[in-house]
Structure formats: structure tokens, C-alpha cells
Amino acid sequence: MCDLARRVVDVHYHAGPDLYRRRLTTGGAGRAYAGIDGWVVIKSHLGCTAASAWEARQEGLPVSGTVVLNDLAGGVHPRVVEQAVYTHGQDSPARLVVHLPTLVGPAHPSRLHRQPFHPLLDTERWRGERVLDDTGQLRRPVREVLRAARDLPVVLATGHCDREETLRVVDEAARLDLPRLLLTHATHPMTGLTPADLTRLADAPGVYVEITALTLLLGHRDAGHLGDVVRAHPRVVFSSDLGQPDQPDPARWLSLSESWFEQAQLTPHQVHAVTALNPAALLAP
Ligand SMILES: [Zn+2]
């Protein structure tokens, strides 16, 4: 039951508790993905989902976790990563995903109707430092987290880094020999990489590129762009970034995706690669 050989592996799904209300709990998401022969990686901007993912796996559900290194959750610090690794347990066929902060810089204008999960939580109060300092260098804690990520069974993900920050993280990851790096929604306007950038990173070892359904659903990018991204890089991962109460559920996500893949003129092999093989290889121990 608990393996990554699935019809679909979604590396980015939001379940509650999170900053905003979500459609499902971790267990509920596990049941939904079990129903579509999937594996799901649960993400929360509030911090760490390792414990709830471990609990779900004890019930036979196909779930693994993430930690987002926001200040609210302990910040960019190796001990936050270590704590999450231990909590995630050693039974998972999928590595824990460690996201650089997502609560950084000015708020990204979102078209989502978001309801706070907790009435006391003022998101703006928790916006922290970006990963680069004023001179354009990666801050020391970021470099320490990258070193920790090299030595632990995790995938590092770029969170809400912009283009410049993402490229600096890629450089440092190469210097350190980091085994797995996921460029979080790389071509979303907030991140800003182009398909040409992705082609230049095609040979960067261990680098995977995420494109999310939410980016298409909110109209930031279209199916033609999805095709360009898939053809630009050999290790593209198609994820959902869903979980919002008013967005499609996992089964509907799959059926919508099929029509996008057709419009993007992807081959059956490319579809299988971006929905199952690449994300499974990214997460594999
Ligand atoms: Zn997300």
C-alpha cells in the first residue's frame, strides 16, 4: 500500500490546519488520493505536516509531509528541519519536503477568496526576511539549511523565492552537491522563471521543476505554457497546489488536467512522467 508506484503523485496539496481554511484534513486528503490511486504530499504555510502525515500512514494512507520554514514555524534553521525529519518517521517511501519560507516580502495579490483558519492570526505580522541579503548573497541560515538538507533524507523546495533567489539557491545546491531540489511553481509570476531559464537548468543535477494546476486555474498561465515548460526541462513535476474549499477536489483535478495535457499536446509518456514518474523520483529515498 505505502509505495510511490501510483497513477499520480501530487507533491503539493494543502490540508488543514493551514493559514487559510482548507477543504480536507491530512487523513481526508489521504483517503481522497487513495481513491484515485495517488500519493499526496501535504503542505501547510503554518509549518510542519510531518506528524499528521505519519499518523495517516499508520492508517495505511498514501501521505507524506513537508515543513515550511516560515518564522511562525521556527524559521530558517537546521533544527526545524531535523525536528521535522524525526517526526516524519522512517517508514515513509517519500522524503520529507523542506520549503524555504513562503511568508516573505509584500503579499502576492491573490485571486483566491481566503478565509483565515484562526481569527487571531495576522498573516502580515509574520512576513519574514527573504533568502538573499542586501548584497545579493544567500543569508547564512539559508546556507546552513541547505547543508542540513544535503545530509538528511529530504527534498529542498524553493518556497516563495523569486527568480534571482531561486537561481542563487540552484548555484549553492550545485556547490554543495544537494541531491534533490524542487523549484516551487517555477514559472508562476511570483517566481518568474521562463521556459528558457528552465532549459538552461536542464543539466543541473537533482533539479526538478514544479508547475501547479492552481497557476492554470487562476489564469496566471495557460495550457500552452504548460506544454512549453514540460518540453523545456527533463524533470518537470505537475502538482495541484489545491485544497482551497472553492477549488476542485483531487478527482476533478485529475480530469481537468487531462484536458490541459491534451491542449498542451503532451505525449502519453510526457503525461506519465510529469504526473507520476518524475514526482516519484524526486521523493524517492
Ligand atoms: Zn501552495
Coordinates of all heavy atoms in Angstrom, one line a residue, residues 9-81:
V9 N 1.3 11.3 -8.4 CA 2.0 11.7 -7.2 C 1.9 13.2 -7.2 O 2.5 13.9 -8.0 CB 3.4 11.2 -7.2 CG1 4.1 11.7 -6.0 CG2 3.5 9.6 -7.2
D10 N 1.1 13.7 -6.2 CA 1.0 15.2 -6.1 C 1.9 15.7 -5.0 O 1.6 15.4 -3.8 CB -0.5 15.5 -5.8 CG -0.8 17.0 -5.7 OD1 0.1 17.8 -5.9 OD2 -2.0 17.3 -5.5
V11 N 2.9 16.5 -5.3 CA 3.9 16.9 -4.3 C 3.4 18.2 -3.6 O 4.2 18.7 -2.8 CB 5.3 17.1 -4.9 CG1 5.8 15.9 -5.6 CG2 5.3 18.3 -5.9
H12 N 2.2 18.6 -3.8 CA 1.9 20.0 -3.3 C 0.3 20.1 -3.1 O -0.4 20.5 -4.0 CB 2.4 21.0 -4.3 CG 2.3 22.4 -3.8 ND1 3.1 23.4 -4.3 CD2 1.5 23.0 -2.8 CE1 2.8 24.6 -3.7 NE2 1.9 24.4 -2.8
Y13 N -0.1 19.7 -1.9 CA -1.6 19.8 -1.7 C -1.7 20.3 -0.3 O -1.1 19.9 0.7 CB -2.2 18.4 -1.7 CG -3.7 18.4 -1.6 CD1 -4.6 18.7 -2.7 CD2 -4.3 18.2 -0.3 CE1 -5.9 18.9 -2.5 CE2 -5.7 18.3 -0.2 CZ -6.5 18.6 -1.3 OH -7.9 18.8 -1.1
H14 N -2.7 21.3 -0.1 CA -2.9 22.0 1.2 C -4.0 21.4 1.9 O -5.2 21.3 1.4 CB -3.2 23.5 1.0 CG -2.0 24.2 0.5 ND1 -1.0 24.7 1.4 CD2 -1.5 24.6 -0.7 CE1 -0.1 25.4 0.7 NE2 -0.3 25.3 -0.6
A15 N -3.8 20.9 3.1 CA -4.8 20.4 4.0 C -4.7 21.2 5.3 O -3.7 21.8 5.6 CB -4.6 18.9 4.3
G16 N -5.9 21.2 6.0 CA -5.9 21.9 7.3 C -5.1 21.2 8.4 O -5.0 19.9 8.3
P17 N -4.6 21.9 9.4 CA -4.7 23.3 9.6 C -3.6 24.0 8.7 O -2.5 23.5 8.6 CB -4.3 23.5 11.1 CG -3.5 22.2 11.4 CD -4.1 21.1 10.6
D18 N -4.0 25.2 8.2 CA -3.1 26.0 7.4 C -3.5 27.4 7.7 O -4.3 27.7 8.5 CB -3.4 25.6 5.9 CG -2.2 26.0 5.0 OD1 -1.4 26.9 5.4 OD2 -2.1 25.5 3.8
L19 N -2.8 28.4 7.0 CA -3.1 29.8 7.2 C -4.6 30.1 7.0 O -5.2 30.8 7.6 CB -2.3 30.7 6.3 CG -0.8 30.9 6.5 CD1 -0.3 31.9 5.5 CD2 -0.6 31.4 7.9
Y20 N -5.1 29.4 5.9 CA -6.5 29.6 5.5 C -7.3 28.3 5.6 O -6.7 27.2 5.7 CB -6.5 30.1 4.0 CG -5.6 31.3 3.8 CD1 -4.3 31.2 3.2 CD2 -5.9 32.5 4.3 CE1 -3.5 32.3 3.0 CE2 -5.1 33.6 4.2 CZ -3.8 33.5 3.6 OH -3.0 34.6 3.4
R21 N -8.6 28.4 5.5 CA -9.4 27.2 5.6 C -9.2 26.4 4.4 O -9.0 26.8 3.3 CB -10.9 27.7 5.6 CG -11.3 28.5 6.8 CD -12.3 27.9 7.7 NE -13.3 27.1 7.1 CZ -14.6 27.5 6.9 NH1 -15.0 28.7 7.3 NH2 -15.4 26.6 6.4
R22 N -9.2 25.1 4.6 CA -8.9 24.1 3.6 C -10.1 23.1 3.5 O -10.8 22.9 4.4 CB -7.6 23.3 3.9 CG -6.4 24.2 4.0 CD -6.2 25.1 2.8 NE -4.9 25.8 2.8 CZ -4.6 26.8 1.9 NH1 -5.5 27.2 1.0 NH2 -3.4 27.4 2.0
R23 N -10.1 22.4 2.3 CA -11.2 21.5 2.1 C -11.1 20.3 3.0 O -12.1 19.8 3.5 CB -11.2 21.1 0.6 CG -12.2 20.1 0.1 CD -11.9 19.7 -1.3 NE -12.2 20.6 -2.3 CZ -13.4 20.7 -2.8 NH1 -14.4 19.9 -2.5 NH2 -13.7 21.6 -3.8
L24 N -9.9 19.8 3.2 CA -9.7 18.5 3.8 C -8.7 18.5 4.9 O -7.9 19.4 5.0 CB -9.3 17.4 2.8 CG -10.2 17.1 1.6 CD1 -9.5 16.3 0.6 CD2 -11.5 16.4 2.1
T25 N -8.8 17.5 5.8 CA -7.7 17.2 6.8 C -6.6 16.4 6.1 O -6.8 15.9 4.9 CB -8.2 16.4 7.9 OG1 -8.7 15.2 7.4 CG2 -9.3 17.1 8.7
T26 N -5.5 16.1 6.8 CA -4.5 15.2 6.2 C -5.1 13.8 5.9 O -4.9 13.3 4.8 CB -3.3 15.1 7.1 OG1 -2.7 16.4 7.2 CG2 -2.2 14.2 6.6
G27 N -5.8 13.3 6.9 CA -6.4 12.0 6.7 C -7.4 12.0 5.6 O -7.5 11.1 4.7
G28 N -8.2 13.1 5.5 CA -9.2 13.2 4.4 C -8.5 13.2 3.1 O -9.0 12.6 2.1
A29 N -7.4 14.0 3.0 CA -6.7 14.0 1.7 C -6.1 12.7 1.4 O -6.1 12.2 0.2 CB -5.6 15.1 1.8
G30 N -5.6 12.0 2.4 CA -5.1 10.6 2.2 C -6.1 9.7 1.6 O -5.9 8.9 0.6
R31 N -7.3 9.8 2.1 CA -8.4 8.9 1.6 C -8.8 9.3 0.2 O -9.0 8.5 -0.7 CB -9.6 9.0 2.5 CG -9.4 8.2 3.8 CD -10.7 8.1 4.7 NE -10.9 9.4 5.4 CZ -10.3 9.8 6.5 NH1 -9.4 9.0 7.0 NH2 -10.5 10.9 7.1
A32 N -8.8 10.6 -0.1 CA -9.1 11.1 -1.5 C -8.1 10.6 -2.5 O -8.4 10.1 -3.6 CB -9.3 12.6 -1.5
Y33 N -6.8 10.7 -2.1 CA -5.8 10.3 -3.0 C -5.7 8.8 -3.1 O -5.4 8.2 -4.2 CB -4.4 10.9 -2.7 CG -4.3 12.3 -3.2 CD1 -4.9 13.4 -2.5 CD2 -3.7 12.6 -4.4 CE1 -4.9 14.7 -3.0 CE2 -3.6 13.9 -4.9 CZ -4.2 14.9 -4.2 OH -4.2 16.2 -4.7
A34 N -6.0 8.0 -2.0 CA -6.1 6.6 -2.1 C -7.1 6.2 -3.2 O -7.0 5.2 -3.9 CB -6.4 6.0 -0.8
G35 N -8.2 7.0 -3.2 CA -9.3 6.7 -4.1 C -9.0 6.9 -5.6 O -9.7 6.5 -6.5
I36 N -7.9 7.7 -5.9 CA -7.5 7.9 -7.3 C -6.2 7.3 -7.6 O -5.5 7.6 -8.5 CB -7.5 9.4 -7.7 CG1 -6.6 10.2 -6.7 CG2 -8.9 10.0 -7.6 CD1 -6.3 11.7 -7.2
D37 N -5.8 6.3 -6.8 CA -4.5 5.6 -6.9 C -3.4 6.6 -6.8 O -2.5 6.6 -7.7 CB -4.4 4.7 -8.1 CG -3.1 3.9 -8.2 OD1 -2.6 3.7 -7.1 OD2 -2.7 3.6 -9.3
G38 N -3.4 7.5 -5.9 CA -2.4 8.6 -5.8 C -1.6 8.5 -4.5 O -1.9 7.8 -3.6
W39 N -0.6 9.4 -4.5 CA 0.2 9.7 -3.3 C 0.1 11.2 -3.2 O 0.2 11.9 -4.2 CB 1.7 9.3 -3.5 CG 2.5 9.5 -2.3 CD1 3.1 10.7 -1.9 CD2 2.7 8.6 -1.2 NE1 3.7 10.5 -0.7 CE2 3.5 9.2 -0.2 CE3 2.3 7.2 -1.0 CZ2 3.9 8.6 1.0 CZ3 2.7 6.6 0.2 CH2 3.5 7.3 1.2
V40 N 0.0 11.7 -1.9 CA -0.1 13.1 -1.7 C 0.9 13.6 -0.7 O 1.1 12.9 0.4 CB -1.6 13.5 -1.3 CG1 -2.0 12.9 0.0 CG2 -1.8 15.0 -1.3
V41 N 1.5 14.8 -1.0 CA 2.4 15.4 -0.1 C 1.6 16.7 0.5 O 1.2 17.5 -0.3 CB 3.7 15.9 -0.8 CG1 4.6 16.6 0.2 CG2 4.3 14.7 -1.5
I42 N 1.4 16.7 1.8 CA 0.6 17.7 2.4 C 1.5 18.9 2.8 O 2.5 18.7 3.5 CB -0.1 17.2 3.7 CG1 -0.9 15.9 3.3 CG2 -0.9 18.3 4.3 CD1 -2.1 16.2 2.4
K43 N 1.0 20.1 2.4 CA 1.8 21.3 2.7 C 0.9 22.3 3.6 O -0.3 22.4 3.3 CB 2.2 22.0 1.4 CG 3.0 23.3 1.6 CD 3.5 23.8 0.3 CE 4.1 25.2 0.4 NZ 4.4 25.8 -0.9
S44 N 1.5 23.0 4.5 CA 0.8 24.0 5.3 C 1.8 25.1 5.5 O 2.9 24.9 6.0 CB 0.3 23.4 6.6 OG -0.1 24.5 7.4
H45 N 1.3 26.4 5.2 CA 2.2 27.5 5.4 C 2.3 27.8 6.9 O 3.2 28.6 7.3 CB 1.5 28.8 4.8 CG 1.4 28.7 3.3 ND1 2.4 28.8 2.5 CD2 0.3 28.5 2.6 CE1 2.0 28.7 1.2 NE2 0.7 28.5 1.3
L46 N 1.6 27.1 7.8 CA 1.7 27.2 9.2 C 2.9 26.5 9.8 O 3.3 26.7 10.9 CB 0.5 26.7 10.0 CG -0.7 27.6 10.2 CD1 -1.8 26.9 10.9 CD2 -0.3 28.9 10.9
G47 N 3.5 25.5 9.0 CA 4.6 24.9 9.5 C 4.8 23.4 9.0 O 5.0 23.2 7.8
C48 N 4.7 22.5 9.9 CA 5.1 21.2 9.7 C 3.9 20.2 9.6 O 3.1 20.2 10.5 CB 6.1 20.7 10.8 SG 6.8 19.1 10.6
T49 N 3.9 19.4 8.6 CA 2.8 18.4 8.4 C 3.3 17.0 8.6 O 2.6 16.0 8.4 CB 2.1 18.5 7.1 OG1 3.0 18.1 6.1 CG2 1.6 19.9 6.8
A50 N 4.6 16.9 9.1 CA 5.2 15.5 9.3 C 4.4 14.6 10.2 O 4.2 13.5 9.9 CB 6.6 15.7 9.8
A51 N 3.9 15.2 11.3 CA 3.2 14.4 12.3 C 1.9 13.9 11.8 O 1.6 12.7 11.9 CB 3.0 15.1 13.6
S52 N 1.1 14.7 11.1 CA -0.2 14.3 10.6 C 0.0 13.3 9.5 O -0.8 12.4 9.3 CB -1.1 15.5 10.2 OG -0.5 16.2 9.2
A53 N 1.1 13.5 8.7 CA 1.3 12.6 7.6 C 1.7 11.2 8.2 O 1.3 10.1 7.7 CB 2.4 13.1 6.7
W54 N 2.5 11.2 9.2 CA 2.9 9.9 9.8 C 1.7 9.2 10.3 O 1.5 8.0 10.1 CB 3.9 10.2 11.0 CG 4.3 8.9 11.7 CD1 5.3 8.0 11.3 CD2 3.7 8.4 12.9 NE1 5.3 7.0 12.2 CE2 4.4 7.2 13.2 CE3 2.7 8.8 13.7 CZ2 4.1 6.4 14.3 CZ3 2.4 8.0 14.8 CH2 3.0 6.8 15.1
E55 N 0.8 9.9 11.0 CA -0.4 9.3 11.5 C -1.3 8.7 10.4 O -1.8 7.6 10.5 CB -1.3 10.4 12.3 CG -0.7 10.7 13.6 CD -1.7 11.5 14.5 OE1 -3.0 11.5 14.2 OE2 -1.3 12.2 15.4
A56 N -1.4 9.5 9.3 CA -2.2 9.0 8.2 C -1.6 7.7 7.6 O -2.3 6.7 7.3 CB -2.3 10.0 7.1
R57 N -0.2 7.6 7.5 CA 0.4 6.4 7.0 C 0.2 5.2 7.9 O 0.1 4.1 7.5 CB 1.9 6.6 6.8 CG 2.3 7.3 5.5 CD 3.7 7.1 5.1 NE 4.6 7.4 6.2 CZ 5.0 8.6 6.6 NH1 4.6 9.7 6.0 NH2 5.8 8.7 7.7
Q58 N 0.1 5.5 9.3 CA -0.2 4.4 10.2 C -1.6 3.8 9.9 O -1.8 2.6 10.2 CB -0.2 4.9 11.6 CG 1.2 5.5 12.1 CD 2.4 4.6 11.6 OE1 2.5 3.5 12.0 NE2 3.2 5.2 10.7
E59 N -2.4 4.6 9.2 CA -3.7 4.0 8.9 C -3.7 3.5 7.4 O -4.8 3.3 6.8 CB -4.8 5.1 9.0 CG -5.0 5.5 10.5 CD -5.9 6.7 10.7 OE1 -6.8 6.9 9.9 OE2 -5.7 7.3 11.7
G60 N -2.5 3.4 6.9 CA -2.4 2.8 5.5 C -2.6 3.8 4.4 O -2.8 3.4 3.2
L61 N -2.6 5.1 4.7 CA -2.9 6.1 3.7 C -1.7 6.6 3.0 O -0.6 6.7 3.6 CB -3.7 7.3 4.3 CG -5.1 6.9 4.9 CD1 -5.7 8.1 5.6 CD2 -6.0 6.4 3.7
P62 N -1.8 7.0 1.7 CA -0.6 7.3 0.9 C -0.2 8.8 1.1 O -0.4 9.6 0.2 CB -1.1 7.0 -0.5 CG -2.6 7.3 -0.5 CD -3.0 6.9 0.9
V63 N 0.4 9.1 2.2 CA 0.6 10.5 2.5 C 2.0 10.7 3.1 O 2.5 9.9 3.9 CB -0.3 11.0 3.7 CG1 -0.1 12.4 4.0 CG2 -1.8 10.7 3.3
S64 N 2.7 11.8 2.6 CA 3.9 12.3 3.3 C 3.9 13.8 3.6 O 2.9 14.4 3.2 CB 5.1 11.9 2.4 OG 5.0 12.4 1.1
G65 N 4.9 14.3 4.3 CA 4.8 15.6 4.8 C 5.8 16.6 4.3 O 6.7 16.3 3.5
T66 N 5.6 17.8 4.8 CA 6.5 18.9 4.5 C 6.7 19.8 5.7 O 6.0 19.7 6.7 CB 5.9 19.9 3.4 OG1 4.7 20.5 4.0 CG2 5.5 19.2 2.1
V67 N 7.8 20.6 5.7 CA 7.9 21.7 6.6 C 8.2 22.9 5.8 O 9.0 22.9 4.9 CB 8.9 21.4 7.7 CG1 10.3 21.2 7.1 CG2 9.0 22.5 8.8
V68 N 7.5 24.0 6.2 CA 7.7 25.3 5.6 C 8.4 26.2 6.6 O 7.9 26.4 7.7 CB 6.4 25.9 5.1 CG1 6.6 27.3 4.4 CG2 5.6 25.0 4.2
L69 N 9.6 26.7 6.2 CA 10.5 27.3 7.2 C 10.1 28.8 7.4 O 11.0 29.7 7.4 CB 11.9 27.2 6.8 CG 12.4 25.7 6.6 CD1 13.9 25.7 6.1 CD2 12.2 24.9 7.9
N70 N 8.8 29.0 7.6 CA 8.4 30.4 8.0 C 8.7 30.7 9.4 O 8.8 29.8 10.3 CB 6.9 30.5 7.8 CG 6.5 30.6 6.3 OD1 7.2 31.1 5.5 ND2 5.3 30.0 6.0
D71 N 8.9 32.0 9.7 CA 9.3 32.4 11.1 C 8.3 31.9 12.1 O 8.7 31.4 13.2 CB 9.2 34.0 11.2 CG 10.5 34.6 10.5 OD1 11.4 33.8 10.1 OD2 10.5 35.8 10.4
L72 N 7.0 31.9 11.7 CA 6.0 31.3 12.5 C 6.2 29.9 13.0 O 5.7 29.5 14.1 CB 4.7 31.4 11.7 CG 3.3 31.2 12.2 CD1 3.0 32.1 13.3 CD2 2.3 31.4 11.1
A73 N 7.0 29.2 12.2 CA 7.2 27.7 12.5 C 8.6 27.5 13.0 O 9.0 26.3 12.9 CB 6.9 26.9 11.2
G74 N 9.3 28.5 13.4 CA 10.7 28.3 13.8 C 11.7 28.9 12.9 O 12.9 29.0 13.3
G75 N 11.3 29.2 11.7 CA 12.2 30.0 10.8 C 13.2 29.1 10.1 O 13.1 27.9 10.1
V76 N 14.1 29.8 9.4 CA 15.1 29.1 8.5 C 16.2 28.6 9.5 O 17.2 29.3 9.8 CB 15.7 30.0 7.4 CG1 16.7 29.3 6.6 CG2 14.5 30.5 6.6
H77 N 16.1 27.4 10.0 CA 17.1 26.9 10.9 C 17.2 25.4 10.8 O 16.2 24.7 10.7 CB 16.6 27.3 12.4 CG 17.7 27.2 13.3 ND1 18.3 26.0 13.7 CD2 18.4 28.1 14.0 CE1 19.3 26.2 14.5 NE2 19.4 27.5 14.8
P78 N 18.4 24.8 10.8 CA 18.6 23.4 10.6 C 17.8 22.6 11.7 O 17.3 21.5 11.4 CB 20.1 23.2 10.8 CG 20.7 24.4 10.4 CD 19.7 25.5 10.8
R79 N 17.6 23.1 12.9 CA 17.0 22.3 13.9 C 15.5 22.1 13.6 O 14.9 21.1 13.9 CB 17.2 22.8 15.3 CG 16.4 24.0 15.6 CD 16.4 24.5 17.1 NE 16.1 25.9 17.1 CZ 16.8 26.9 17.5 NH1 18.0 26.6 18.0 NH2 16.4 28.1 17.4
V80 N 14.9 23.1 12.8 CA 13.5 22.9 12.4 C 13.4 21.8 11.4 O 12.5 21.0 11.5 CB 13.0 24.2 11.8 CG1 11.5 24.1 11.4 CG2 13.1 25.4 12.9
V81 N 14.4 21.7 10.5 CA 14.4 20.6 9.5 C 14.6 19.3 10.3 O 13.9 18.3 10.0 CB 15.6 20.9 8.5 CG1 15.6 19.7 7.5 CG2 15.4 22.2 7.8

